Amino acid sequence: MFAFFSDATNLERITPPSLGFSILTPAPIEMREGARIDYRIKLNGIPMRWTTLIAAYEPGVRFIDVQERGPYKLWHHTHTFRDVYGGTEIGDLVLYEIGRGALGTLAHAMFVRRQLAHIFDYRSKVMKELFG
């Protein structure tokens, strides 16, 4: 499972089509601490670029991506993997801040929270379809 997630090109497969997600960094992308990956996404129809830095990379255990450029004031996403009976337990811990004061708080309440839930629900659905 770690190999699937550490192949950046698979992110397109597990991201809802409504985000218009595409990787701009030429493949193959060597996943390692210090790697940078550029994406294009659409949030509520607005196209934007997103750059993440792989801040930590422990093969088979975890990796952390942090936003260097993108829609959030802070994005820190820890992916964890643990062997369990019958498969792999996958964990996601996302720490994020929207910023932008009251406007950001309103945006979070109106659509950001739901959009993030949709993204991770979609990801879970696709993973079940691919791996059972």
Side-chain angles (χ1 to χ4, degrees):
M1 200 62 60
F2 184 87
F4 178 86
F5 276 90
S6 64
D7 179 348
T9 60
N10 285 325
L11 193 50
E12 288 184 43
R13 295 173 71 184
I14 61 173
T15 300
S18 60
L19 289 180
F21 180 90
S22 62
I23 297 174
L24 301 176
T25 302
I29 298 168
E30 179 188 357
M31 285 294 281
R32 59 175 172 72
E33 190 171 318
R36 284 185 172 76
I37 306 169
D38 291 307
Y39 314 93
R40 181 175 302 129
I41 60 169
K42 289 181 184 175
L43 292 176
N44 299 309
I46 302 168
M48 60 186 66
R49 293 196 44 171
W50 188 325
T51 300
T52 58
L53 168 71
I54 304 302
Y57 188 77
E58 299 173 48
V61 178
R62 74 179 183 133
F63 65 93
I64 299 171
D65 62 87
V66 297
Q67 174 190 281
E68 287 193 327
R69 172 185 175 185
Y72 295 92
K73 180 179 179 181
L74 168 74
W75 179 270
H76 186 279
H77 184 181
T78 301
H79 307 256
T80 57
F81 305 85
R82 186 170 67 101
D83 291 334
V84 296
Y85 180 76
T88 302
E89 180 181 82
I90 301 168
D92 284 295
L93 175 63
V94 179
L95 304 173
Y96 68 95
E97 288 182 40
I98 297 173
R100 296 169 184 80
L103 183 60
T105 301
L106 181 62
H108 185 262
M110 290 181 64
F111 58 85
V112 174
R113 182 180 332 128
R114 281 190 302 265
Q115 187 173 51
L116 288 174
H118 170 68
I119 290 167
F120 283 95
D121 289 347
Y122 181 87
R123 184 171 290 183
S124 178
K125 177 182 169 257
V126 171
M127 293 305 293
K128 285 177 185 169
E129 290 171 359
L130 291 174
F131 298 103

